[in-house]
Amino acid sequence: MKAQEPDPVDLAKQLLSSLMEEIPIIQNFKGKWSLIRTKLGDLQNQLTDFSAEFPNYSSDPLCLDLLHSICHTLNDAASLSNNCQSPNLSQGKLKTQSDIDSVLAKLDRHVKDCEILVRSGFMQEGVVSSTSKREGVRSESRNLLTRLQIGSTESRNMAMDSLLGLLQKDDKNVMIVVTQGVVPVLVRLLDSSYLEIKEKTVAAISRISMVDSSKHVLIAEGLLLLNHLLRVLDSGSGFAKEKACIALYALSISKENARAIGSRGGISSLLEICLSGTPGSQASAAGVLRNLSVFTEIRENFTEENAIVVLLGVSASGTALAQENAIGCLSNLVSDDESLKLLIIKEGGLEILRNYWGSAPTIGSLEVVVELLRHLSSCQPIAEVLVSDGFIPRLVGVLNCGVLGVRIVAARAVYALGSSTKTRKELGECGCIPPLIKMLDGKAVEEKEAAARALSVLMLYAGNRRIFRKDERGVVSAVQLLNPSIQNLNKKYPVSVLASLVHSKKCRKQMVAAGACVYTQKLVEMDVEGSKKLLESLGRGKIWGVFARP
C-alpha cells in the first residue's frame, strides 16, 4: 500500500523551523544568512496565514505547485547551511555565494507569491456562487490574474491563453478585467524571457487598447509600457509588431507619449514596418504615424527619416486601411510645408490621389484624400495642376455626398483652390455653387461656415454671382447666418457673400425681407469685418423704413 505523502504546509514548516535553528551557528556569509533568516520569518508568517485561511489548498494544483517549490528551495537552503557551517567551503567561495544569492531570490519570490494568493482571495473563488454573468467574469479574471503572477511558465502560459479568450468575447469583458487590475500585471509580463508569453501579453494589451473606456489605464502606465512596445517593434515577430502597433495607436493620441515615441526612434521603426511588414502591421504602423504627425514638433523627425517617399509607397500599394492612414499622415505633414507639397507632386502623388479616389471602399474614407487635396491646393502652382488634371469634378461630386465630414473638407478645399480668377471660374462652371448653397442650411455650424467661406471667395468672380442669384434659397440662407444667435460661426464669410450681391436690386430686396438690416446692425456693434459697409449698401437702397423689421 502506497504511503500517504506528508502535508506540504507541514513539511515546509518543519524544514523552515530546522533551518532557522541552524542559521545562528553558520560561520560563513553571516550577513547574507541574516537576510535569509528575515525572509524565512516572513515566509513562516505567510504559511501560517495560508493554512488558516485556505483549508482546501490541497485541492488546487497551483497552490500545491507553490508549496512544493517552497519545500524544494528550503531543502536547497538546508544543504547550503551545512556547507557554510564548515570552515572550509567544499563548493568554493564564489559558487557558494552565488547559490546563497539564488536561494535568497527564490525565498523573496515565494513570499511575494504567497502574498498574491492571500490578497487575491484566490482560494475562495471556487466556493463563491456567481449571481450573474458579470460576477462570473470578475471571479474568472481574478483567478487568471493570480495565475499570471505565480506558478510555472507553462501554468502562466495557459492562464494567458484563457485571458485572451476572455478578452476576445466582448468589450464588457475587457472593461471588467481592466477594473480587476490586469494592466500592471501585463506590463510586468512584458519583461518575460519566455517569447510566447511576451507576444501573448502584447496581444492582450492591444485588445485592451481597442476599447475606448480602457485606454486611459494603458496611458497611465507611461514610459514603461511605451518602451516595452517600442522594443517589440524592433525585435518582435510580425504578429507581435502588429499587435504592438495597435496598442501604440491608442497611446500615441497623447502629446507626451507622441513626443516619447518620436524621441526614442519609434518613427524609424514604424517606417521600417511600412516598408517590409505584413499587410496588417503596415496598416497599424501607418495609423500610429498618422497620430504622431498631428504634433508639429515631431514632424521634423519624419523629414529626417525620408518619410514622404515611404508613405507614398504605402498609399499606392497598401491595404485600404493602410492607404487611408498613410494619406492621412501625409496630409498632416504637408499642411504648412510648401517644400513637402512640391515633393509629393514630384514623387507621383497626384496619380496616387487619383487612384485612391477611384478605389476608396467608402465615401467616408475619401475624407483624408480630400483633406490632402485641400492642403496641396494652397500652393498656387499645384492648384493649377490640380485644376488641369480634372480634380474639380471629383470635388463637386463629394460636395453632394451624404457624409458630413467629407462635405466640410470638400468645401474647405474649394476655398483653398479659389485663389485665382481662373480656378474660381472653373469651380463655378463645374457646379460647385448649388451644393455649397445647400450646405448653408446644414445642421452643423462647421458645415455652414465651410460653405460660406468657400462661397465668399467664389463670389469674387462675376459669373459665379450670376449662378448664385439663380438659386432662390441662396440669399435667404446667407442672411440667416448673420443671426448672432448662431454661435461659433465667423460672420465675416456670410457678410462677404452678401456684400458681393448687394448691388443687385433683386438680391437687396431679398436681404431686407429676410431681416439682413437688423442682423447687420448687430454685427456692426460687434465689429464684424465688412458688416458696416454691407449695412451702408443696404441703406443706399432707399429702404430706411424697414430697419425695424425683424
Side-chain angles (χ1 to χ4, degrees), residues 252 258 267 286-299 302 311 325-336:
S252 56
I267 291 174
V288 182
L289 290 169
R290 183 179 178 181
N291 281 351
L292 298 178
S293 63
V294 169
F295 303 103
T296 308
E297 58 265 47
I298 301 174
R299 290 176 188 169
F302 284 85
L311 291 166
N325 283 331
I327 292 172
C329 183
L330 286 168
S331 180
N332 291 332
L333 292 176
V334 305
S335 59
D336 54 5

mmCIF file of all heavy atoms in Angstrom, residues 252 258 267 286-299 302 311 325-336:
data_model
loop_
_atom_site.group_PDB
_atom_site.id
_atom_site.type_symbol
_atom_site.label_atom_id
_atom_site.label_comp_id
_atom_site.label_asym_id
_atom_site.label_seq_id
_atom_site.Cartn_x
_atom_site.Cartn_y
_atom_site.Cartn_z
ATOM 1 N N SER A 252 -0.603 56.832 -28.713
ATOM 2 C CA SER A 252 0.025 57.969 -29.382
ATOM 3 C C SER A 252 -0.892 59.169 -29.539
ATOM 4 O O SER A 252 -0.484 60.196 -30.082
ATOM 5 C CB SER A 252 0.555 57.551 -30.761
ATOM 6 O OG SER A 252 -0.476 56.989 -31.558
ATOM 7 N N ALA A 258 3.426 60.836 -27.680
ATOM 8 C CA ALA A 258 3.885 61.039 -29.059
ATOM 9 C C ALA A 258 5.318 61.560 -29.076
ATOM 10 O O ALA A 258 6.150 61.113 -29.871
ATOM 11 C CB ALA A 258 2.956 62.020 -29.767
ATOM 12 N N ILE A 267 9.624 56.449 -34.871
ATOM 13 C CA ILE A 267 9.224 56.761 -36.246
ATOM 14 C C ILE A 267 10.009 55.922 -37.239
ATOM 15 O O ILE A 267 9.460 55.391 -38.207
ATOM 16 C CB ILE A 267 9.395 58.271 -36.516
ATOM 17 C CG1 ILE A 267 8.355 59.056 -35.698
ATOM 18 C CG2 ILE A 267 9.262 58.582 -38.001
ATOM 19 C CD1 ILE A 267 8.504 60.546 -35.770
ATOM 20 N N ALA A 286 1.101 52.631 -40.026
ATOM 21 C CA ALA A 286 0.728 53.884 -40.682
ATOM 22 C C ALA A 286 -0.273 54.663 -39.821
ATOM 23 O O ALA A 286 -0.255 55.900 -39.806
ATOM 24 C CB ALA A 286 0.119 53.598 -42.053
ATOM 25 N N GLY A 287 -1.127 53.944 -39.091
ATOM 26 C CA GLY A 287 -2.066 54.602 -38.189
ATOM 27 C C GLY A 287 -1.361 55.321 -37.054
ATOM 28 O O GLY A 287 -1.732 56.440 -36.685
ATOM 29 N N VAL A 288 -0.329 54.687 -36.499
ATOM 30 C CA VAL A 288 0.450 55.334 -35.439
ATOM 31 C C VAL A 288 1.150 56.570 -35.992
ATOM 32 O O VAL A 288 1.149 57.646 -35.370
ATOM 33 C CB VAL A 288 1.484 54.370 -34.825
ATOM 34 C CG1 VAL A 288 2.251 55.058 -33.698
ATOM 35 C CG2 VAL A 288 0.813 53.107 -34.295
ATOM 36 N N LEU A 289 1.746 56.440 -37.159
ATOM 37 C CA LEU A 289 2.427 57.582 -37.785
ATOM 38 C C LEU A 289 1.448 58.727 -38.048
ATOM 39 O O LEU A 289 1.791 59.907 -37.891
ATOM 40 C CB LEU A 289 3.089 57.138 -39.090
ATOM 41 C CG LEU A 289 4.297 56.204 -38.936
ATOM 42 C CD1 LEU A 289 4.695 55.614 -40.287
ATOM 43 C CD2 LEU A 289 5.485 56.946 -38.321
ATOM 44 N N ARG A 290 0.250 58.370 -38.427
ATOM 45 C CA ARG A 290 -0.783 59.397 -38.665
ATOM 46 C C ARG A 290 -1.070 60.171 -37.379
ATOM 47 O O ARG A 290 -1.198 61.394 -37.400
ATOM 48 C CB ARG A 290 -2.050 58.724 -39.188
ATOM 49 C CG ARG A 290 -3.178 59.673 -39.536
ATOM 50 C CD ARG A 290 -4.360 58.879 -40.065
ATOM 51 N NE ARG A 290 -5.502 59.731 -40.378
ATOM 52 C CZ ARG A 290 -6.662 59.279 -40.827
ATOM 53 N NH1 ARG A 290 -6.832 57.972 -41.036
ATOM 54 N NH2 ARG A 290 -7.660 60.107 -41.083
ATOM 55 N N ASN A 291 -1.178 59.450 -36.258
ATOM 56 C CA ASN A 291 -1.383 60.117 -34.966
ATOM 57 C C ASN A 291 -0.210 61.036 -34.617
ATOM 58 O O ASN A 291 -0.390 62.158 -34.164
ATOM 59 C CB ASN A 291 -1.555 59.081 -33.853
ATOM 60 C CG ASN A 291 -2.945 58.483 -33.824
ATOM 61 O OD1 ASN A 291 -3.849 58.943 -34.526
ATOM 62 N ND2 ASN A 291 -3.130 57.459 -33.022
ATOM 63 N N LEU A 292 0.998 60.534 -34.818
ATOM 64 C CA LEU A 292 2.191 61.299 -34.461
ATOM 65 C C LEU A 292 2.322 62.565 -35.293
ATOM 66 O O LEU A 292 2.773 63.604 -34.802
ATOM 67 C CB LEU A 292 3.441 60.434 -34.650
ATOM 68 C CG LEU A 292 3.561 59.167 -33.794
ATOM 69 C CD1 LEU A 292 4.825 58.407 -34.152
ATOM 70 C CD2 LEU A 292 3.562 59.505 -32.313
ATOM 71 N N SER A 293 1.918 62.494 -36.557
ATOM 72 C CA SER A 293 2.102 63.626 -37.468
ATOM 73 C C SER A 293 1.207 64.811 -37.119
ATOM 74 O O SER A 293 1.397 65.909 -37.652
ATOM 75 C CB SER A 293 1.831 63.183 -38.913
ATOM 76 O OG SER A 293 0.477 62.774 -39.076
ATOM 77 N N VAL A 294 0.257 64.608 -36.225
ATOM 78 C CA VAL A 294 -0.599 65.717 -35.784
ATOM 79 C C VAL A 294 0.207 66.763 -35.021
ATOM 80 O O VAL A 294 -0.084 67.960 -35.089
ATOM 81 C CB VAL A 294 -1.750 65.175 -34.896
ATOM 82 C CG1 VAL A 294 -2.501 66.312 -34.210
ATOM 83 C CG2 VAL A 294 -2.696 64.318 -35.727
ATOM 84 N N PHE A 295 1.259 66.313 -34.338
ATOM 85 C CA PHE A 295 2.018 67.203 -33.452
ATOM 86 C C PHE A 295 3.173 67.854 -34.221
ATOM 87 O O PHE A 295 4.090 67.178 -34.676
ATOM 88 C CB PHE A 295 2.534 66.421 -32.248
ATOM 89 C CG PHE A 295 1.416 65.754 -31.475
ATOM 90 C CD1 PHE A 295 1.185 64.396 -31.600
ATOM 91 C CD2 PHE A 295 0.586 66.500 -30.655
ATOM 92 C CE1 PHE A 295 0.149 63.778 -30.914
ATOM 93 C CE2 PHE A 295 -0.451 65.899 -29.961
ATOM 94 C CZ PHE A 295 -0.673 64.541 -30.082
ATOM 95 N N THR A 296 3.111 69.168 -34.334
ATOM 96 C CA THR A 296 4.045 69.922 -35.169
ATOM 97 C C THR A 296 5.498 69.670 -34.786
ATOM 98 O O THR A 296 6.369 69.527 -35.660
ATOM 99 C CB THR A 296 3.749 71.434 -35.049
ATOM 100 O OG1 THR A 296 2.367 71.659 -35.313
ATOM 101 C CG2 THR A 296 4.593 72.219 -36.031
ATOM 102 N N GLU A 297 5.778 69.604 -33.485
ATOM 103 C CA GLU A 297 7.175 69.485 -33.044
ATOM 104 C C GLU A 297 7.811 68.143 -33.406
ATOM 105 O O GLU A 297 9.023 67.989 -33.320
ATOM 106 C CB GLU A 297 7.277 69.723 -31.536
ATOM 107 C CG GLU A 297 6.444 68.782 -30.693
ATOM 108 C CD GLU A 297 5.088 69.358 -30.341
ATOM 109 O OE1 GLU A 297 4.412 69.874 -31.238
ATOM 110 O OE2 GLU A 297 4.704 69.289 -29.168
ATOM 111 N N ILE A 298 6.987 67.165 -33.811
ATOM 112 C CA ILE A 298 7.529 65.842 -34.154
ATOM 113 C C ILE A 298 7.769 65.715 -35.661
ATOM 114 O O ILE A 298 8.482 64.825 -36.105
ATOM 115 C CB ILE A 298 6.568 64.734 -33.666
ATOM 116 C CG1 ILE A 298 6.380 64.843 -32.154
ATOM 117 C CG2 ILE A 298 7.090 63.344 -33.992
ATOM 118 C CD1 ILE A 298 5.355 63.887 -31.600
ATOM 119 N N ARG A 299 7.199 66.619 -36.442
ATOM 120 C CA ARG A 299 7.238 66.459 -37.904
ATOM 121 C C ARG A 299 8.661 66.484 -38.458
ATOM 122 O O ARG A 299 8.936 65.890 -39.500
ATOM 123 C CB ARG A 299 6.382 67.555 -38.560
ATOM 124 C CG ARG A 299 4.900 67.354 -38.304
ATOM 125 C CD ARG A 299 4.056 68.471 -38.871
ATOM 126 N NE ARG A 299 2.670 68.336 -38.452
ATOM 127 C CZ ARG A 299 1.733 69.263 -38.608
ATOM 128 N NH1 ARG A 299 2.052 70.418 -39.180
ATOM 129 N NH2 ARG A 299 0.499 69.056 -38.184
ATOM 130 N N PHE A 302 10.021 63.096 -39.103
ATOM 131 C CA PHE A 302 9.557 62.457 -40.337
ATOM 132 C C PHE A 302 10.441 62.853 -41.512
ATOM 133 O O PHE A 302 10.808 62.022 -42.341
ATOM 134 C CB PHE A 302 8.112 62.862 -40.626
ATOM 135 C CG PHE A 302 7.080 62.178 -39.780
ATOM 136 C CD1 PHE A 302 6.751 62.660 -38.527
ATOM 137 C CD2 PHE A 302 6.429 61.044 -40.239
ATOM 138 C CE1 PHE A 302 5.795 62.045 -37.744
ATOM 139 C CE2 PHE A 302 5.476 60.412 -39.472
ATOM 140 C CZ PHE A 302 5.147 60.908 -38.219
ATOM 141 N N LEU A 311 5.677 56.749 -47.215
ATOM 142 C CA LEU A 311 4.221 56.873 -47.068
ATOM 143 C C LEU A 311 3.518 56.892 -48.421
ATOM 144 O O LEU A 311 2.409 56.348 -48.564
ATOM 145 C CB LEU A 311 3.892 58.149 -46.286
ATOM 146 C CG LEU A 311 4.285 58.123 -44.798
ATOM 147 C CD1 LEU A 311 4.246 59.521 -44.207
ATOM 148 C CD2 LEU A 311 3.376 57.180 -44.017
ATOM 149 N N ASN A 325 -4.591 55.532 -43.854
ATOM 150 C CA ASN A 325 -3.729 56.059 -42.781
ATOM 151 C C ASN A 325 -2.514 56.797 -43.342
ATOM 152 O O ASN A 325 -2.105 57.844 -42.819
ATOM 153 C CB ASN A 325 -3.283 54.924 -41.863
ATOM 154 C CG ASN A 325 -4.376 54.491 -40.906
ATOM 155 O OD1 ASN A 325 -5.234 55.287 -40.527
ATOM 156 N ND2 ASN A 325 -4.364 53.232 -40.501
ATOM 157 N N ALA A 326 -1.915 56.239 -44.388
ATOM 158 C CA ALA A 326 -0.729 56.868 -44.972
ATOM 159 C C ALA A 326 -1.073 58.227 -45.585
ATOM 160 O O ALA A 326 -0.338 59.208 -45.408
ATOM 161 C CB ALA A 326 -0.115 55.953 -46.029
ATOM 162 N N ILE A 327 -2.202 58.300 -46.295
ATOM 163 C CA ILE A 327 -2.617 59.576 -46.895
ATOM 164 C C ILE A 327 -2.966 60.582 -45.805
ATOM 165 O O ILE A 327 -2.638 61.777 -45.912
ATOM 166 C CB ILE A 327 -3.813 59.349 -47.851
ATOM 167 C CG1 ILE A 327 -3.346 58.542 -49.070
ATOM 168 C CG2 ILE A 327 -4.409 60.678 -48.292
ATOM 169 C CD1 ILE A 327 -4.472 58.091 -49.983
ATOM 170 N N GLY A 328 -3.612 60.097 -44.731
ATOM 171 C CA GLY A 328 -3.914 60.975 -43.600
ATOM 172 C C GLY A 328 -2.654 61.531 -42.968
ATOM 173 O O GLY A 328 -2.593 62.702 -42.582
ATOM 174 N N CYS A 329 -1.629 60.699 -42.870
ATOM 175 C CA CYS A 329 -0.344 61.133 -42.322
ATOM 176 C C CYS A 329 0.308 62.177 -43.235
ATOM 177 O O CYS A 329 0.793 63.215 -42.773
ATOM 178 C CB CYS A 329 0.574 59.923 -42.145
ATOM 179 S SG CYS A 329 2.162 60.309 -41.385
ATOM 180 N N LEU A 330 0.303 61.918 -44.537
ATOM 181 C CA LEU A 330 0.864 62.870 -45.498
ATOM 182 C C LEU A 330 0.157 64.220 -45.406
ATOM 183 O O LEU A 330 0.794 65.283 -45.454
ATOM 184 C CB LEU A 330 0.734 62.312 -46.917
ATOM 185 C CG LEU A 330 1.687 61.174 -47.302
ATOM 186 C CD1 LEU A 330 1.252 60.539 -48.615
ATOM 187 C CD2 LEU A 330 3.123 61.688 -47.411
ATOM 188 N N SER A 331 -1.159 64.167 -45.260
ATOM 189 C CA SER A 331 -1.936 65.395 -45.166
ATOM 190 C C SER A 331 -1.495 66.243 -43.976
ATOM 191 O O SER A 331 -1.331 67.466 -44.090
ATOM 192 C CB SER A 331 -3.428 65.052 -45.052
ATOM 193 O OG SER A 331 -4.205 66.218 -44.965
ATOM 194 N N ASN A 332 -1.287 65.589 -42.840
ATOM 195 C CA ASN A 332 -0.820 66.320 -41.651
ATOM 196 C C ASN A 332 0.574 66.901 -41.863
ATOM 197 O O ASN A 332 0.860 68.036 -41.468
ATOM 198 C CB ASN A 332 -0.801 65.394 -40.434
ATOM 199 C CG ASN A 332 -2.185 64.993 -39.980
ATOM 200 O OD1 ASN A 332 -3.150 65.721 -40.177
ATOM 201 N ND2 ASN A 332 -2.296 63.819 -39.373
ATOM 202 N N LEU A 333 1.449 66.116 -42.492
ATOM 203 C CA LEU A 333 2.843 66.535 -42.649
ATOM 204 C C LEU A 333 2.993 67.747 -43.564
ATOM 205 O O LEU A 333 3.850 68.606 -43.340
ATOM 206 C CB LEU A 333 3.679 65.368 -43.196
ATOM 207 C CG LEU A 333 3.891 64.170 -42.265
ATOM 208 C CD1 LEU A 333 4.652 63.066 -42.989
ATOM 209 C CD2 LEU A 333 4.654 64.591 -41.005
ATOM 210 N N VAL A 334 2.167 67.823 -44.621
ATOM 211 C CA VAL A 334 2.353 68.888 -45.613
ATOM 212 C C VAL A 334 1.502 70.115 -45.331
ATOM 213 O O VAL A 334 1.567 71.096 -46.070
ATOM 214 C CB VAL A 334 2.041 68.383 -47.046
ATOM 215 C CG1 VAL A 334 2.869 67.171 -47.375
ATOM 216 C CG2 VAL A 334 0.550 68.096 -47.212
ATOM 217 N N SER A 335 0.707 70.086 -44.250
ATOM 218 C CA SER A 335 -0.278 71.151 -44.021
ATOM 219 C C SER A 335 0.337 72.548 -44.032
ATOM 220 O O SER A 335 -0.292 73.495 -44.489
ATOM 221 C CB SER A 335 -1.022 70.911 -42.708
ATOM 222 O OG SER A 335 -0.114 70.882 -41.616
ATOM 223 N N ASP A 336 1.560 72.677 -43.529
ATOM 224 C CA ASP A 336 2.192 74.007 -43.514
ATOM 225 C C ASP A 336 3.632 73.957 -44.020
ATOM 226 O O ASP A 336 4.488 74.711 -43.571
ATOM 227 C CB ASP A 336 2.162 74.599 -42.097
ATOM 228 C CG ASP A 336 2.764 73.662 -41.059
ATOM 229 O OD1 ASP A 336 3.281 72.602 -41.450
ATOM 230 O OD2 ASP A 336 2.723 73.996 -39.856
#
